[in-house]
Amino acid sequence: MAIPKYQQIADEIRDRIRTGVYPPKSLLPDQNTLAKAFGVSRMTIKKALDGLASEGLIYKQSGLGTYVLGDVTAHTNDSPAEVFEGLTKQEGAEHVSSQVLTFDVSLPSQLVRNKLQLAPDEPVYVIDRLRKVDGQPAVLEHTFFPLKLVPGLTHEILLGSIYDYLHQNLHLKFGGALRRINADVAGTLEVDFLNATRGEPVLQVEQVIWLTTGENIEYSTSRNLASWRGYTILDINHD
Amino acid sequence: MAIPKYQQIADEIRDRIRTGVYPPKSLLPDQNTLAKAFGVSRMTIKKALDGLASEGLIYKQSGLGTYVLGDVTAHTNDSPAEVFEGLTKQEGAEHVSSQVLTFDVSLPSQLVRNKLQLAPDEPVYVIDRLRKVDGQPAVLEHTFFPLKLVPGLTHEILLGSIYDYLHQNLHLKFGGALRRINADVAGTLEVDFLNATRGEPVLQVEQVIWLTTGENIEYSTSRNLASWRGYTILDINHD
DNA sequence: CAGTGGTCTAGACCACGAT
DNA sequence: TCGTGGTCTAGACCACTGA
């Protein structure tokens, strides 16, 4: 039982919605019927439907039934970006390359100490990278990692995906992130490295990422030209 | 049984974490122990813990136990904005007022028809509002509603919270939203109405909102000065 | 009223991590 | 091996909806 039943059932129903067996705006069979049809208990059906509801694919209402809403991408023609992981996973490793502008170790400023919840004597890596997509300059990243959580970082690793290194080599798992998005105008750095014209709008994302242990592992600020890329968020109402 | 048990238990445990009975980095009692302590089945305990995990307050790992992570706001000193509802709910009704710049009905453009999934002959409201917080110009909103879904909109309603009208008077429930955030620079409108200086950075949020029925009810673009407010997102990793 | 989904139980077996 | 959380069952009662 590698894949749990509720997951298999969710996959099957998702597929039936996608292929039109359960068309949008229709009612799904009730949970008891589905339970018998899949040869499974009703709790298992409910768990499968809960998952689909949290994806925004269906909507359940007690006393009424379960509506099919259809794919979220039906609402617009954009598709939402799942952006928990980094640029490498979004664009595909073969499209992304990095140029390392700074790679230093130093004691954290008051701001960085605060963001990473560090003691004054705990050193941090300070990294500036220019990320390129298909050879085109795309994003400027300014990142801090606590040395104690990310030992053995090398120039080599910075050329690829740092997140892959954190996950695969250090076996660290991300617990969550808090992001703040804002607008700014291009300064010297963006003119020099992103081929911006001065005063052009720039989208800035500032984030703190923590591990499943609750320790903060990254504080970073990344900037890209607004004309190149925005930030898309899918928000499902769970009442 | 107005409030379900799993919710009451989640509230109680959240409180114990907050008050230090279960301090951060400690292990929670195991689910069987909690089940006996609360006089409840283990499934109910698990559902309570699932909720806390999705808030990022705890982290469960099979074979190990359940860690306390502590409040998310411990990760930074900002607090995340829960922004499903509008400005009125975020800032409090007594702080928000609106000035109506445009209030028209027209046939939708290709773009608007696409975003709202409308037929060419279905009219839409076109609304421009200047939202003020404590009397200060804060946000410029450009909004489209399909007439068929929002009958009887009046100038009066636009002065307050449209969302309150949709929920309380029309009994409509939001199913979800897709937002796209981007940066721009201030143009004539922002100079005139937001007291911006030309070329100042502006944060723009474009969104499509749909109902629990799957019908799209709003397409809007809102702009505010980047110096006034950013956009904050909390993202919990669910593997 | 009958039918829906929401909650809850008291068990059971499983996969995983540590010892 | 033992204890953990994850899954799953076969029932039960409830609140809500519509006819």
Side-chain angles (χ1 to χ4, degrees):
Chain A
M1 197 209 291
I3 300 171
K5 286 188 191 177
Y6 73 87
Q7 192 56 257
Q8 296 179 35
I9 292 172
D11 290 343
E12 170 64 25
I13 294 177
R14 196 184 294 104
D15 212 60
R16 290 187 189 173
I17 291 175
R18 197 177 48 74
T19 59
V21 179
Y22 301 141
K25 314 237 168 185
S26 68
L27 277 174
L28 239 51
D30 68 273
Q31 297 183 352
N32 282 306
T33 305
L34 286 172
K36 273 170 203 140
F38 281 101
V40 98
S41 116
R42 184 162 77 97
M43 286 289 281
T44 303
I45 293 293
K46 186 181 177 298
K47 184 148 192 194
L49 296 184
D50 282 348
L52 296 175
S54 82
E55 293 172 19
L57 211 61
I58 61 176
Y59 178 73
K60 290 178 278 143
Q61 186 160 37
S62 186
L64 252 172
T66 302
Y67 292 105
V68 177
L69 297 183
D71 199 346
V72 175
T73 56
H75 293 291
T76 76
N77 288 341
D78 309 320
S79 52
E82 286 301 331
V83 285
F84 198 92
E85 300 299 318
L87 193 65
T88 307
K89 196 156 273 176
Q90 282 178 62
E91 303 285 344
E94 67 279 16
H95 296 289
V96 178
S97 59
S98 301
Q99 181 181 336
V100 178
L101 308 178
T102 312
F103 180 28
D104 266 333
V105 174
S106 75
L107 291 178
S109 67
Q110 177 73 49
L111 171 71
V112 173
R113 241 171 42 221
N114 203 317
K115 295 287 185 184
L116 292 178
Q117 309 285 334
L118 290 175
D121 62 345
E122 294 180 303
V124 292
Y125 284 115
V126 183
I127 299 162
D128 284 291
R129 292 197 298 177
L130 170 63
R131 315 298 305 274
K132 299 180 182 179
V133 174
D134 292 327
Q136 294 299 312
V139 181
L140 276 170
E141 268 181 12
H142 185 55
T143 313
F144 301 89
F145 295 106
L147 210 66
K148 63 174 176 180
L149 293 178
V150 191
L153 210 52
T154 65
H155 192 280
E156 186 93 292
I157 294 166
L158 300 187
L159 293 177
S161 168
I162 297 181
Y163 291 172
D164 278 357
Y165 175 72
L166 298 181
H167 295 153
Q168 290 165 27
N169 296 72
L170 299 183
H171 305 292
L172 300 174
K173 280 173 79 173
F174 288 177
L178 188 65
R179 301 193 173 87
R180 184 170 189 78
I181 303 174
N182 218 326
D184 200 355
V185 292
T188 311
L189 276 176
E190 287 77 30
V191 171
D192 288 353
F193 291 107
L194 296 180
N195 302 324
T197 59
R198 187 168 290 275
E200 195 179 340
V202 165
L203 191 69
Q204 171 176 302
V205 180
E206 184 189 1
Q207 66 180 354
V208 174
I209 299 181
W210 54 91
L211 302 174
T212 54
T213 59
E215 294 168 296
N216 291 356
I217 191 174
E218 168 180 329
Y219 169 59
S220 68
T221 304
S222 47
R223 293 161 67 94
N224 67 262
L225 299 187
S227 56
W228 181 67
R229 190 165 79 143
Y231 195 99
T232 307
I233 302 162
L234 173 63
D235 201 354
I236 304 296
N237 188 14
H238 303 293
D239 288 58
Chain B
M1 196 208 292
I3 300 172
K5 286 188 191 178
Y6 72 87
Q7 193 54 258
Q8 296 179 35
I9 293 172
D11 289 344
E12 170 64 25
I13 295 178
R14 196 183 294 105
D15 213 59
R16 290 186 188 174
I17 292 175
R18 197 178 47 74
T19 59
V21 179
Y22 300 140
K25 313 235 168 189
S26 69
L27 276 175
L28 237 52
D30 69 274
Q31 296 183 354
N32 281 306
T33 305
L34 286 172
K36 275 171 201 140
F38 282 102
V40 97
S41 113
R42 185 162 78 96
M43 285 290 281
T44 303
I45 292 293
K46 184 180 178 299
K47 184 147 192 195
L49 295 184
D50 282 348
L52 296 175
S54 81
E55 294 170 19
L57 211 61
I58 61 176
Y59 179 72
K60 290 178 278 141
Q61 187 160 39
S62 185
L64 254 171
T66 303
Y67 292 104
V68 178
L69 297 183
D71 199 345
V72 175
T73 56
H75 292 292
T76 77
N77 290 339
D78 310 319
S79 52
E82 287 300 333
V83 285
F84 198 92
E85 300 299 318
L87 194 65
T88 307
K89 196 156 269 174
Q90 282 178 63
E91 303 285 345
E94 67 279 16
H95 296 289
V96 177
S97 60
S98 301
Q99 181 181 336
V100 178
L101 308 178
T102 311
F103 180 28
D104 266 333
V105 173
S106 76
L107 290 178
S109 67
Q110 177 74 49
L111 172 71
V112 172
R113 239 170 45 220
N114 203 318
K115 294 287 185 185
L116 293 177
Q117 308 286 336
L118 291 175
D121 62 343
E122 293 179 304
V124 293
Y125 285 114
V126 183
I127 299 163
D128 283 291
R129 293 197 297 176
L130 171 62
R131 316 297 305 273
K132 299 179 181 179
V133 174
D134 293 326
Q136 295 298 312
V139 182
L140 276 170
E141 269 181 12
H142 185 55
T143 313
F144 300 90
F145 295 105
L147 210 67
K148 63 175 176 179
L149 292 178
V150 191
L153 211 50
T154 66
H155 192 280
E156 187 93 291
I157 294 166
L158 299 187
L159 294 176
S161 168
I162 297 181
Y163 290 171
D164 279 356
Y165 174 73
L166 297 180
H167 295 152
Q168 289 164 27
N169 297 72
L170 299 183
H171 305 291
L172 300 174
K173 280 172 79 174
F174 288 176
L178 189 65
R179 300 194 173 86
R180 185 169 188 79
I181 304 173
N182 217 328
D184 200 355
V185 291
T188 310
L189 276 176
E190 288 76 30
V191 171
D192 288 352
F193 291 108
L194 296 179
N195 302 325
T197 58
R198 186 169 290 276
E200 194 179 341
V202 166
L203 190 70
Q204 171 177 301
V205 180
E206 184 189 2
Q207 66 180 354
V208 174
I209 299 181
W210 55 91
L211 303 174
T212 54
T213 59
E215 295 168 296
N216 291 355
I217 191 174
E218 168 179 330
Y219 170 59
S220 67
T221 305
S222 47
R223 294 162 67 93
N224 66 263
L225 300 187
S227 55
W228 181 68
R229 191 166 79 142
Y231 197 99
T232 307
I233 301 162
L234 173 64
D235 202 353
I236 304 296
N237 188 13
H238 303 293
D239 287 58

